[in-house]
């Protein structure tokens, strides 16, 4: 007969509730410090709503009024070395962390505010208003607040978007030999996001010191948590990942403080991640100064009941009962906070010329200059100093030999890991199969077991974790995506997070990350394992793109990518892995400069621009077509900022004709933007429109015949060259 046995998870899931005895035992200095932060944050947020109501906040104003106790109680025990990531509703998280940095002992509400606090509040308000003196120079606004020195690593407009990065910060803390921890703040809506659950799993598997702090404010915009999950006690999810979890009243700052204390003890002792769920309530709508009841999805009675549990009122009662603060001192602190915000407002605002009485505007001098628009999308490459050695194969003085492409891929990474302890390699199966699925990481796991990380199949999580490592700056991650198509799985982290991080947070962040991925075209792996990602990355700001086509170039270009402080995607092709060509025998320390193309075949009739395996197809095609002398350029660097316009331009002005050659589908093709840019730059030099060779519209199929029909190779290049000679578009050369 069938038997059943109840299974119980061995991981604790606890509800923590404070009693009057806990309040009586709490240190008076701690209570004053928490109360001071609550008052400052509440006054700040109310002033932001006032400005938003007056139309002075361009964009959203996601108020945290009502939710302050969760952030204050949990952050007040953190140090500046500990890091946090926040949500789109993150003013309170950012301010609590920053206040702890400028005043480690906390603000005693009986005293005046220190100038550092006023400066912090001023810069934070300026950022929310989009002004130049803000922490991100006005680019971040309400949703993207960052102050690295304080350990506030960035609030995030993508729901759940910062959670994988928090795991990266935690990895960096632990492997740098510190006891610092990372805290990821997100709401009930984010608890249903895949990257959050992937991060739970990854953090638990790798025992990372990260606290996943769920601010369960009951509503994702207007949708109640009970409408979208069968178990609204969201901390229960820790049981599925063996993560100890606490559930607390988030309107009680002492409860969140005590829960965080227990979580910190667990994490700092090296026992891995934790989850804290704080039940709390936002008093206002998702955005702006009106309550949710004004939009019909909450009742006024519900709002009244939650407001009766206000954390400031709760603390005021206990402080008065214990004699920690008098009623007069409480009022004085609140008045000082309000007066400080008005004073800050007077610095940033002025009367609107010709406006109604009391109507104000941002002082014109506070705005960023328009020419700051594109500054900091990428770095200035100043990290490449005079000690960097550049080489090309034609002038290389070291020993050269016929080398297998895939061998130099593994060898140069091994060399860099041996000379740079900050490099960390991660990806699926990179530690086994004699170097992953293609041999690209051969020998690395044996030589560097602590820095070759085998990941779960969760590209969004481990790409985001790598993004956190890069932003931390103590490590330089190298991420392998088994196939380029998988970038879509991790698109948020690659494009919304990693690619935008430097610019979005003011232009000063370095993001030293290398993403390796291969193009699988021609292998029979079909539509979801065959894409060329160059066109997608080329239209996404922040990324540099490099596409090596020879063993010699791979070594120099990978060394450059690993030295660069921008995110670099290194695109590889399966056809090249098995190929052989000239490469270094033992010198693996040279570089090839950012922004340098290579002329593979000089010519006079047409400029042929290509990259990766299609360079060889272009060279083969040139030998098949009579009556035309093509100049074939291997672009190598493909992104907008790194493309070698000097080499391309000189060739175009010589040949007056351009053919762009690539293998992949036309819809995501790289050549579309390149053709447009060439025609803008060199229109007067062109004898005809730029021509292109691409694959078909469809992604390659698994059928051998259909796959060949969908891609470009030598025959398609040769056909394009013949067309240019037979239809009269090429002017005769003398």
């Amino acid at each position: 007969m069938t038997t059943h046995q109840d299974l119980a998870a061995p991981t604790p899931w606890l509800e923590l509730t404070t009693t009057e005895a806990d309040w009586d035992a709490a240190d008076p200095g701690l209570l004053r410090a928490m109360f001071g932060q609550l008052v400052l944050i509440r006054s700040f947020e109310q002033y932001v709503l006032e400005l938003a109501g007056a139309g002075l906040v361009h964009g959203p104003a996601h108020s945290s009024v009502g939710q302050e106790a969760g952030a204050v109680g949990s952050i007040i025990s953190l140090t500046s070395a500990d890091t946090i990531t926040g949500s789109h509703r993150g003013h309170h998280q950012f301010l609590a962390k920053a206040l702890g940095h400028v005043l480690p002992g906390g603000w005693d509400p009986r005293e005046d505010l220190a100038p550092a606090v006023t400066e912090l509040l001023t810069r934070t308000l300026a950022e929310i208003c989009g002004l130049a003196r803000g922490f991100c120079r006005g680019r971040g606004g309400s949703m993207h607040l960052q102050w690295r020195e304080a350990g506030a690593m960035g609030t995030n407009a993508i729901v759940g978007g910062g959670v994988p990065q928090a795991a990266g910060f935690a990895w960096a803390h632990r492997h740098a030999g510190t006891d610092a921890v990372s805290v990821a703040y997100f709401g009930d809506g984010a608890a249903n996001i895949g990257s959050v659950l992937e991060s739970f799993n990854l953090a638990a598997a790798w025992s990372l010191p990260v606290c996943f702090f769920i601010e369960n404010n009951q509503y994702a915009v207007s949708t109640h948590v009970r409408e979208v999950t069968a178990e609204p006690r969201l901390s229960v999810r820790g049981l599925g990942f063996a993560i100890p979890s606490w559930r607390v009243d988030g309107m009680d700052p002492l409860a969140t403080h005590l829960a965080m204390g227990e979580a910190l003890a667990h994490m700092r002792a090296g026992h891995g991640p934790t989850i804290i769920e704080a039940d709390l309530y936002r008093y206002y709508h998702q955005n702006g100064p009106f309550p949710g009841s004004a939009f019909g999805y909450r009742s006024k009675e519900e709002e009244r009941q939650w407001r009766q549990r206000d954390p400031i009122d709760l603390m005021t009662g206990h402080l008065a009962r214990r004699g920690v603060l008098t009623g007069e001192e409480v009022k004085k602190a609140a008045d000082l906070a309000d007066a400080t915000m008005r004073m800050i407002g007077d610095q940033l605002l002025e009367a609107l010329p010709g406006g109604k009485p009391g109507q104000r505007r941002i002082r014109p001098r506070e705005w960023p200059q328009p020419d700051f628009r594109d500054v900091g999308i990428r770095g200035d490459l100043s990290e490449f100093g005079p000690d960097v050695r550049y080489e090309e194969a034609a002038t290389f003085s070291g020993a050269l030999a016929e080398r297998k492409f895939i061998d130099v891929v593994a060898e140069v990474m091994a060399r860099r890991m041996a000379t740079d302890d900050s490099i960390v390699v991660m990806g699926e199966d990179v530690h086994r199969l004699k170097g992953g699925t293609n041999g690209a990481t051969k020998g690395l796991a044996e030589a560097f077991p602590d820095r070759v990380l085998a990941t779960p199949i969760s590209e969004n999580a481990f790409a985001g974790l790598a993004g956190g490592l890069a932003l931390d700056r103590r490590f330089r991650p190298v991420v392998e995506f088994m196939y380029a198509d998988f970038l879509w799985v991790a698109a948020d982290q690659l494009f919304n997070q990693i690619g935008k991080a430097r610019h979005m947070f003011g232009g000063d962040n370095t993001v030293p990350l290398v993403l390796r991925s291969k193009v699988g075209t021609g292998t029979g792996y079909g539509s979801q394992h065959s894409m060329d990602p160059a066109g997608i990355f080329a239209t996404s700001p922040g990324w540099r793109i490099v596409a090596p086509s020879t063993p010699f170039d791979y070594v120099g270009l990978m060394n450059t990518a690993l030295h660069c402080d921008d995110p670099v995607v290194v695109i590889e092709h399966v056809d090249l892995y098995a190929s052989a060509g000239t490469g270094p025998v033992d010198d693996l320390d040279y570089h090839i400069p950012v922004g340098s193309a290579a002329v593979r075949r000089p010519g006079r009739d047409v400029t042929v621009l290509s990259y990766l395996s299609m360079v060889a197809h272009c060279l083969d095609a040139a030998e098949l077509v009579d009556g035309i002398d093509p100049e074939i350029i291997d672009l190598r660097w493909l992104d907008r900022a790194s493309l070698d316009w000097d080499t391309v331009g000189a060739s175009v002005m010589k040949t007056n004709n351009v053919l762009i050659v690539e293998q992949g589908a036309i819809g995501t093709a790289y050549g579309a933007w390149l053709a447009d840019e060439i025609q803008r730059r060199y229109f007067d030099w062109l004898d005809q429109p730029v021509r292109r060779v691409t694959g078909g519209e469809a992604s390659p199929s698994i059928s051998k015949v259909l796959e060949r029909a969908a891609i470009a190779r030598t025959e398609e290049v040769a056909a394009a060259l013949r067309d240019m000679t037979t239809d009269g578009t090429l002017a005769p050369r003398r």
Side-chain angles (χ1 to χ4, degrees), residues 713-732:
R713 282 189 169 164
T714 302
E715 294 80 0
E716 285 73 20
V717 181
L721 292 174
R722 289 192 187 99
D723 285 346
M724 296 180 80
T725 59
T726 59
D727 66 4
T729 55
L730 279 182

PDB file of all heavy atoms in Angstrom, residues 713-732:
ATOM      1  N   ARG A 713      28.113  32.645 -47.139  1.00  0.00           N
ATOM      2  CA  ARG A 713      29.472  32.129 -47.131  1.00  0.00           C
ATOM      3  C   ARG A 713      30.183  32.624 -48.398  1.00  0.00           C
ATOM      4  O   ARG A 713      29.792  33.630 -48.984  1.00  0.00           O
ATOM      5  CB  ARG A 713      29.475  30.607 -47.014  1.00  0.00           C
ATOM      6  CG  ARG A 713      29.212  30.136 -45.573  1.00  0.00           C
ATOM      7  CD  ARG A 713      29.426  28.662 -45.383  1.00  0.00           C
ATOM      8  NE  ARG A 713      29.417  28.322 -43.961  1.00  0.00           N
ATOM      9  CZ  ARG A 713      29.273  27.101 -43.481  1.00  0.00           C
ATOM     10  NH1 ARG A 713      29.105  26.075 -44.313  1.00  0.00           N
ATOM     11  NH2 ARG A 713      29.291  26.874 -42.183  1.00  0.00           N
ATOM     12  N   THR A 714      31.206  31.907 -48.808  1.00  0.00           N
ATOM     13  CA  THR A 714      32.025  32.362 -49.929  1.00  0.00           C
ATOM     14  C   THR A 714      31.188  32.624 -51.177  1.00  0.00           C
ATOM     15  O   THR A 714      31.378  33.635 -51.874  1.00  0.00           O
ATOM     16  CB  THR A 714      33.109  31.317 -50.243  1.00  0.00           C
ATOM     17  OG1 THR A 714      33.901  31.101 -49.072  1.00  0.00           O
ATOM     18  CG2 THR A 714      33.995  31.769 -51.391  1.00  0.00           C
ATOM     19  N   GLU A 715      30.257  31.732 -51.482  1.00  0.00           N
ATOM     20  CA  GLU A 715      29.490  31.853 -52.716  1.00  0.00           C
ATOM     21  C   GLU A 715      28.676  33.141 -52.766  1.00  0.00           C
ATOM     22  O   GLU A 715      28.560  33.781 -53.821  1.00  0.00           O
ATOM     23  CB  GLU A 715      28.571  30.640 -52.872  1.00  0.00           C
ATOM     24  CG  GLU A 715      29.298  29.312 -53.076  1.00  0.00           C
ATOM     25  CD  GLU A 715      29.824  28.693 -51.783  1.00  0.00           C
ATOM     26  OE1 GLU A 715      29.626  29.295 -50.705  1.00  0.00           O
ATOM     27  OE2 GLU A 715      30.434  27.608 -51.846  1.00  0.00           O
ATOM     28  N   GLU A 716      28.086  33.522 -51.644  1.00  0.00           N
ATOM     29  CA  GLU A 716      27.286  34.743 -51.611  1.00  0.00           C
ATOM     30  C   GLU A 716      28.156  35.991 -51.775  1.00  0.00           C
ATOM     31  O   GLU A 716      27.753  36.968 -52.413  1.00  0.00           O
ATOM     32  CB  GLU A 716      26.498  34.823 -50.309  1.00  0.00           C
ATOM     33  CG  GLU A 716      25.290  33.909 -50.233  1.00  0.00           C
ATOM     34  CD  GLU A 716      25.644  32.434 -50.055  1.00  0.00           C
ATOM     35  OE1 GLU A 716      26.782  32.141 -49.616  1.00  0.00           O
ATOM     36  OE2 GLU A 716      24.793  31.565 -50.338  1.00  0.00           O
ATOM     37  N   VAL A 717      29.357  35.954 -51.219  1.00  0.00           N
ATOM     38  CA  VAL A 717      30.267  37.088 -51.390  1.00  0.00           C
ATOM     39  C   VAL A 717      30.714  37.182 -52.848  1.00  0.00           C
ATOM     40  O   VAL A 717      30.740  38.275 -53.440  1.00  0.00           O
ATOM     41  CB  VAL A 717      31.486  36.952 -50.463  1.00  0.00           C
ATOM     42  CG1 VAL A 717      32.419  38.150 -50.633  1.00  0.00           C
ATOM     43  CG2 VAL A 717      31.053  36.828 -49.013  1.00  0.00           C
ATOM     44  N   ALA A 718      31.064  36.051 -53.409  1.00  0.00           N
ATOM     45  CA  ALA A 718      31.476  36.051 -54.811  1.00  0.00           C
ATOM     46  C   ALA A 718      30.359  36.550 -55.712  1.00  0.00           C
ATOM     47  O   ALA A 718      30.604  37.323 -56.661  1.00  0.00           O
ATOM     48  CB  ALA A 718      31.911  34.641 -55.217  1.00  0.00           C
ATOM     49  N   ALA A 719      29.135  36.129 -55.432  1.00  0.00           N
ATOM     50  CA  ALA A 719      28.009  36.586 -56.247  1.00  0.00           C
ATOM     51  C   ALA A 719      27.834  38.096 -56.149  1.00  0.00           C
ATOM     52  O   ALA A 719      27.556  38.773 -57.155  1.00  0.00           O
ATOM     53  CB  ALA A 719      26.739  35.869 -55.807  1.00  0.00           C
ATOM     54  N   ALA A 720      27.993  38.642 -54.963  1.00  0.00           N
ATOM     55  CA  ALA A 720      27.854  40.086 -54.791  1.00  0.00           C
ATOM     56  C   ALA A 720      28.946  40.836 -55.548  1.00  0.00           C
ATOM     57  O   ALA A 720      28.690  41.882 -56.169  1.00  0.00           O
ATOM     58  CB  ALA A 720      27.893  40.444 -53.316  1.00  0.00           C
ATOM     59  N   LEU A 721      30.166  40.320 -55.523  1.00  0.00           N
ATOM     60  CA  LEU A 721      31.251  40.961 -56.254  1.00  0.00           C
ATOM     61  C   LEU A 721      31.010  40.891 -57.753  1.00  0.00           C
ATOM     62  O   LEU A 721      31.263  41.866 -58.490  1.00  0.00           O
ATOM     63  CB  LEU A 721      32.580  40.304 -55.891  1.00  0.00           C
ATOM     64  CG  LEU A 721      33.079  40.535 -54.450  1.00  0.00           C
ATOM     65  CD1 LEU A 721      34.325  39.700 -54.172  1.00  0.00           C
ATOM     66  CD2 LEU A 721      33.375  42.005 -54.209  1.00  0.00           C
ATOM     67  N   ARG A 722      30.511  39.760 -58.237  1.00  0.00           N
ATOM     68  CA  ARG A 722      30.207  39.638 -59.669  1.00  0.00           C
ATOM     69  C   ARG A 722      29.125  40.632 -60.073  1.00  0.00           C
ATOM     70  O   ARG A 722      29.197  41.258 -61.144  1.00  0.00           O
ATOM     71  CB  ARG A 722      29.768  38.215 -59.996  1.00  0.00           C
ATOM     72  CG  ARG A 722      30.882  37.182 -59.926  1.00  0.00           C
ATOM     73  CD  ARG A 722      30.464  35.847 -60.533  1.00  0.00           C
ATOM     74  NE  ARG A 722      31.483  34.837 -60.300  1.00  0.00           N
ATOM     75  CZ  ARG A 722      31.437  33.929 -59.338  1.00  0.00           C
ATOM     76  NH1 ARG A 722      30.396  33.905 -58.496  1.00  0.00           N
ATOM     77  NH2 ARG A 722      32.409  33.056 -59.201  1.00  0.00           N
ATOM     78  N   ASP A 723      28.113  40.764 -59.238  1.00  0.00           N
ATOM     79  CA  ASP A 723      27.045  41.712 -59.545  1.00  0.00           C
ATOM     80  C   ASP A 723      27.592  43.126 -59.689  1.00  0.00           C
ATOM     81  O   ASP A 723      27.145  43.904 -60.545  1.00  0.00           O
ATOM     82  CB  ASP A 723      25.977  41.697 -58.450  1.00  0.00           C
ATOM     83  CG  ASP A 723      25.095  40.469 -58.512  1.00  0.00           C
ATOM     84  OD1 ASP A 723      25.132  39.771 -59.549  1.00  0.00           O
ATOM     85  OD2 ASP A 723      24.373  40.208 -57.520  1.00  0.00           O
ATOM     86  N   MET A 724      28.545  43.461 -58.856  1.00  0.00           N
ATOM     87  CA  MET A 724      29.094  44.814 -58.888  1.00  0.00           C
ATOM     88  C   MET A 724      29.929  45.051 -60.139  1.00  0.00           C
ATOM     89  O   MET A 724      30.126  46.195 -60.563  1.00  0.00           O
ATOM     90  CB  MET A 724      29.933  45.078 -57.636  1.00  0.00           C
ATOM     91  CG  MET A 724      29.118  45.038 -56.348  1.00  0.00           C
ATOM     92  SD  MET A 724      30.095  45.336 -54.856  1.00  0.00           S
ATOM     93  CE  MET A 724      30.226  47.116 -54.888  1.00  0.00           C
ATOM     94  N   THR A 725      30.423  43.980 -60.768  1.00  0.00           N
ATOM     95  CA  THR A 725      31.216  44.145 -61.992  1.00  0.00           C
ATOM     96  C   THR A 725      30.356  44.051 -63.242  1.00  0.00           C
ATOM     97  O   THR A 725      30.648  44.700 -64.244  1.00  0.00           O
ATOM     98  CB  THR A 725      32.320  43.079 -62.073  1.00  0.00           C
ATOM     99  OG1 THR A 725      31.723  41.777 -62.054  1.00  0.00           O
ATOM    100  CG2 THR A 725      33.275  43.215 -60.905  1.00  0.00           C
ATOM    101  N   THR A 726      29.275  43.284 -63.183  1.00  0.00           N
ATOM    102  CA  THR A 726      28.492  43.054 -64.400  1.00  0.00           C
ATOM    103  C   THR A 726      27.366  44.044 -64.606  1.00  0.00           C
ATOM    104  O   THR A 726      26.872  44.196 -65.722  1.00  0.00           O
ATOM    105  CB  THR A 726      27.904  41.632 -64.388  1.00  0.00           C
ATOM    106  OG1 THR A 726      27.081  41.483 -63.217  1.00  0.00           O
ATOM    107  CG2 THR A 726      29.012  40.591 -64.367  1.00  0.00           C
ATOM    108  N   ASP A 727      26.929  44.719 -63.541  1.00  0.00           N
ATOM    109  CA  ASP A 727      25.802  45.643 -63.733  1.00  0.00           C
ATOM    110  C   ASP A 727      26.257  47.076 -63.971  1.00  0.00           C
ATOM    111  O   ASP A 727      25.458  48.001 -63.979  1.00  0.00           O
ATOM    112  CB  ASP A 727      24.843  45.589 -62.543  1.00  0.00           C
ATOM    113  CG  ASP A 727      25.458  46.110 -61.247  1.00  0.00           C
ATOM    114  OD1 ASP A 727      26.602  46.586 -61.286  1.00  0.00           O
ATOM    115  OD2 ASP A 727      24.785  46.029 -60.203  1.00  0.00           O
ATOM    116  N   GLY A 728      27.594  47.243 -64.135  1.00  0.00           N
ATOM    117  CA  GLY A 728      28.090  48.561 -64.500  1.00  0.00           C
ATOM    118  C   GLY A 728      28.232  49.543 -63.376  1.00  0.00           C
ATOM    119  O   GLY A 728      28.509  50.722 -63.623  1.00  0.00           O
ATOM    120  N   THR A 729      28.055  49.112 -62.135  1.00  0.00           N
ATOM    121  CA  THR A 729      28.134  50.063 -61.024  1.00  0.00           C
ATOM    122  C   THR A 729      29.561  50.362 -60.619  1.00  0.00           C
ATOM    123  O   THR A 729      29.804  51.336 -59.914  1.00  0.00           O
ATOM    124  CB  THR A 729      27.363  49.528 -59.812  1.00  0.00           C
ATOM    125  OG1 THR A 729      27.858  48.232 -59.470  1.00  0.00           O
ATOM    126  CG2 THR A 729      25.880  49.436 -60.109  1.00  0.00           C
ATOM    127  N   LEU A 730      30.507  49.495 -61.005  1.00  0.00           N
ATOM    128  CA  LEU A 730      31.902  49.772 -60.703  1.00  0.00           C
ATOM    129  C   LEU A 730      32.529  50.523 -61.867  1.00  0.00           C
ATOM    130  O   LEU A 730      32.544  50.039 -63.006  1.00  0.00           O
ATOM    131  CB  LEU A 730      32.680  48.480 -60.467  1.00  0.00           C
ATOM    132  CG  LEU A 730      32.552  47.844 -59.082  1.00  0.00           C
ATOM    133  CD1 LEU A 730      33.414  46.604 -59.016  1.00  0.00           C
ATOM    134  CD2 LEU A 730      32.950  48.807 -57.995  1.00  0.00           C
ATOM    135  N   ALA A 731      33.039  51.699 -61.597  1.00  0.00           N
ATOM    136  CA  ALA A 731      33.712  52.469 -62.636  1.00  0.00           C
ATOM    137  C   ALA A 731      35.023  51.795 -63.008  1.00  0.00           C
ATOM    138  O   ALA A 731      35.712  51.258 -62.139  1.00  0.00           O
ATOM    139  CB  ALA A 731      33.963  53.891 -62.148  1.00  0.00           C
ATOM    140  N   PRO A 732      35.384  51.760 -64.260  1.00  0.00           N
ATOM    141  CA  PRO A 732      36.647  51.128 -64.658  1.00  0.00           C
ATOM    142  C   PRO A 732      37.842  51.859 -64.063  1.00  0.00           C
ATOM    143  O   PRO A 732      37.847  53.079 -63.936  1.00  0.00           O
ATOM    144  CB  PRO A 732      36.630  51.229 -66.183  1.00  0.00           C
ATOM    145  CG  PRO A 732      35.711  52.373 -66.482  1.00  0.00           C
ATOM    146  CD  PRO A 732      34.670  52.355 -65.407  1.00  0.00           C
TER     147      PRO A 732
END
